[in-house]
Amino acid sequence: MNKALHQVGEYVQLMGKCIAIPDRWSMFFKQLIKEIYKLGVDSLWIVIIISVFIGTVIAIQISLNISSPLIPKFTIGYTTREIILLEFSSSIMCLILAGKVGSNIASEIGTMRVTEQIDAMEIMGVNSANFLILPKMVGMMTFIPVLVIFSMFTGILGGIAASYSAGTNMTPASFEYGLQFYFTEFYIWYSIIKSVVYAFIISSIAAYFGYNVRGGALEVGKASTNAVVMSSVMILLADVIMTNLMLT
Amino acid sequence: MVEVKHITKSFEGRTVLNDISAVFEAGKTNLIIGRSGSGKTVLIKNIIGLMRPDSGKILYDGRDLTAMNKQELKLLRCEMGMLFQGSALFDSMTVLENVMFPLDMFSNDTYKERLKRAQFCLDRVNLSEAGHLYPSEISGGMMKRAAIARAISLNPKYLFCDEPNSGLDPKTSLIIDDLIHDITAEYKMTTIINTHDMNSVMNIGENIIFIKEGVKEWQGNSQEVITSNNKALNDFIFASDLFRKVKEVEENEIKEQNKSIK
């Protein structure tokens, strides 16, 4: 319990150090663009591939499980859309990104710590937390909503592709009708808002574990694992809280 | 000039530095020597402000680091350069970008002027051809030279070096030692080097502080090391056969000189 409280205290202190006006805006924007590219744009393909396949699988599984003549066929499209918009493209996709991006951030900052690169910055008078972490946080919070929108779009495309495939009891027309049936625009905003919070969770927790590494390569590996586990748990917790706050 | 006055530092009840006082002069290469675990690194970390001493003062030309607020410390750090044991070059930047980094962060010069200064620093350490390479693409000696170039890019008044020769072959170590010595004299910097490389002690030790178990045991220069009667210092310096033989030869020469005078 003491250790947990100590870690929370360290995390808050780090955020206090990190969330400050950058020493040089030109350097901040240079870093920001690098981070958006490295953490966001480089994740685009994995997001698209996963979303297309999961969208297809969701549509097929729903069509196979809804065989009652009392349930209309458009329910398949409707349910696929709701799953993708409400949960998959934001929460599940961010859990996947916590693994990819979170471990990247923790290991990068952790390696910089154990090789004294962070100490070198501090000696120069640079606020290392602000210089290293803030662009990652801002970059993630800016670009993850874009990834989520891509995920929604490609996930639904995957579902549409499934509706054209043989062996399922749905038609493209009924699927498309289901996609448009009782559409609530707010669900898109709900997903985007959630993803911004998840982006903050992933980047800040991973940065915290990386920044506080002490030791060598083994500890960097442990920090990377801890960062992924902790950010995944916090994403799930935040999901419950935000769903209760925004949908009920 | 950097002056430490009665520095004491403890970790969980264990005293690592005990009442250390020393003066590190400007324009000289000041060496802190001692066995592993003697407190050298803790002392240098206290001097540069990465750790706060439990008691005592650290004066940079009269300015007390221990009494400075964040802003004053930040300004002081712009006057410092540091060469780390592992070079600590930023992996994601080229050698030239590494040297330009302090200038980009703190200099108000134009890009052309900053680039010119960075290229001058690289040229000073004979690395002008390696500016486009990443740290992973250059040798350990080149990394040390690149780190020296980065450390002097803002023309610092104080240069700190932590084990500058670790992991280097003797010849490259000599090149690094000479480079640090020449730069110190050229820019009249106060250079403090943390080392246990005896070649460095003999080669560039203009002011040497020997620390044993957190206490300052001895202070002198490379000439005085040879003739010192301090047992702890002799045990440390002349631990190897080579240096014992050097000492014997030096002592015999002195005896013969004394005889001839008589």
Side-chain angles (χ1 to χ4, degrees), chain B residues 27-29 31 83 124-126 141 144-145 148 152 159 161 164-165 168-187 189 191 193 197 199-206:
Chain B
K28 281 188 179 177
T29 42
L31 268 60
L83 173 61
R124 183 66 190 80
V125 298
N126 295 321
K144 288 277 158 81
R145 282 188 281 151
I148 292 172
I152 61 167
L159 180 66
C161 308
N165 298 331
L168 299 180
D169 63 84
K171 201 173 176 185
T172 311
S173 296
L174 278 176
I175 293 170
I176 298 294
D177 281 345
D178 289 341
L179 187 60
I180 293 170
H181 183 259
D182 293 349
I183 286 170
T184 302
E186 194 178 324
Y187 297 107
M189 286 188 293
T191 298
I193 304 170
D197 180 356
N199 288 319
S200 299
V201 173
M202 298 303 181
N203 192 23
I204 57 167
E206 292 174 306

Side-chain angles (χ1 to χ4, degrees), chain A residues 116 118-126, chain B residues 2-4 7 17 24 32 39-53 57-60 63-70 72-85 88 151 156-163 190-194:
Chain A
E116 296 180 314
I118 291 178
D119 288 341
M121 278 186 189
E122 291 289 334
I123 293 297
M124 288 175 203
V126 176
Chain B
V2 177
E3 201 176 346
V4 294
I7 291 292
L17 297 178
F24 303 98
I32 301 171
K40 302 188 300 287
T41 304
V42 176
L43 177 60
I44 208 163
K45 281 189 173 176
N46 275 278
I47 293 173
I48 59 183
L50 279 182
M51 282 180 187
R52 288 264 165 173
K57 285 180 178 179
I58 298 159
L59 304 172
Y60 282 79
R63 295 168 293 170
D64 187 3
L65 178 135
T66 57
M68 284 181 184
N69 60 31
K70 274 187 181 176
E72 288 168 333
L73 193 60
K74 196 174 171 181
L75 287 173
L76 177 67
R77 280 186 167 155
C78 290
E79 298 175 14
M80 291 182 189
M82 174 97 192
L83 173 61
F84 282 87
Q85 191 172 354
K157 283 172 77 177
Y158 315 100
L159 180 66
F160 302 94
C161 308
D162 186 19
E163 306 279 0
T190 304
T191 298
I192 302 176
I193 304 170
N194 184 0

Side-chain angles (χ1 to χ4, degrees), chain A residues 23-24 27 30 34 111-112 115-117 119-126 131, chain B residues 48 50 74 77 82 84-86 88-91 101 104-108 150:
Chain A
D23 290 326
R24 279 282 157 107
M27 290 295 276
K30 201 173 152 189
K34 266 190 195 173
T111 306
M112 288 188 79
T115 55
E116 296 180 314
Q117 292 175 49
D119 288 341
M121 278 186 189
E122 291 289 334
I123 293 297
M124 288 175 203
V126 176
F131 181 81
Chain B
I48 59 183
L50 279 182
K74 196 174 171 181
R77 280 186 167 155
M82 174 97 192
F84 282 87
Q85 191 172 354
L89 293 174
F90 305 130
D91 298 326
F101 182 78
D104 288 339
M105 290 303 292
F106 299 110
S107 165
N108 290 321
R150 184 178 68 182

Side-chain angles (χ1 to χ4, degrees), chain A residues 32-93:
Chain A
L32 180 63
I33 289 163
K34 266 190 195 173
E35 299 299 347
I36 286 178
Y37 194 85
K38 190 174 69 186
L39 303 175
V41 178
D42 278 356
S43 303
L44 199 56
W45 284 111
I46 187 83
V47 166
I48 290 173
I49 289 167
I50 291 171
S51 302
V52 168
F53 281 94
I54 296 291
T56 308
V57 170
I58 289 171
I60 293 171
Q61 288 193 349
I62 292 168
S63 75
L64 293 175
N65 285 289
I66 298 177
S67 54
S68 167
L70 295 174
I71 301 173
K73 294 277 184 251
F74 70 79
T75 312
I76 300 164
Y78 171 77
T79 315
T80 303
R81 184 198 75 201
E82 296 295 78
I83 291 172
I84 287 172
L85 292 196
L86 287 170
E87 205 56 26
F88 171 73
S89 288
S90 51
S91 304
I92 307 298
M93 194 48 68

Side-chain angles (χ1 to χ4, degrees), chain B residues 96-115:
Chain B
L96 180 65
E97 285 168 343
N98 263 283
V99 179
M100 281 191 76
F101 182 78
L103 298 163
D104 288 339
M105 290 303 292
F106 299 110
S107 165
N108 290 321
D109 294 343
T110 62
Y111 177 77
K112 269 189 180 175
E113 287 167 335
R114 281 181 276 144
L115 185 65

Side-chain angles (χ1 to χ4, degrees), chain A residues 176-220:
Chain A
E176 278 163 33
Y177 179 74
L179 285 178
Q180 294 165 51
F181 181 74
Y182 201 62
F183 173 69
T184 313
E185 188 194 327
F186 175 70
Y187 289 174
I188 305 251
W189 291 111
Y190 161 73
S191 255
I192 288 172
I193 292 165
K194 278 206 301 185
S195 70
V196 173
V197 175
Y198 297 154
F200 176 80
I201 289 172
I202 295 168
S203 52
S204 62
I205 290 179
Y208 163 74
F209 278 101
Y211 199 83
N212 288 292
V213 167
R214 295 286 180 273
L218 193 68
E219 282 73 20
V220 174

Side-chain angles (χ1 to χ4, degrees), chain A residues 23 77 100 106 147 170 235:
Chain A
D23 290 326
K100 183 187 178 291
L147 291 178
M170 59 181 159
I235 283 172

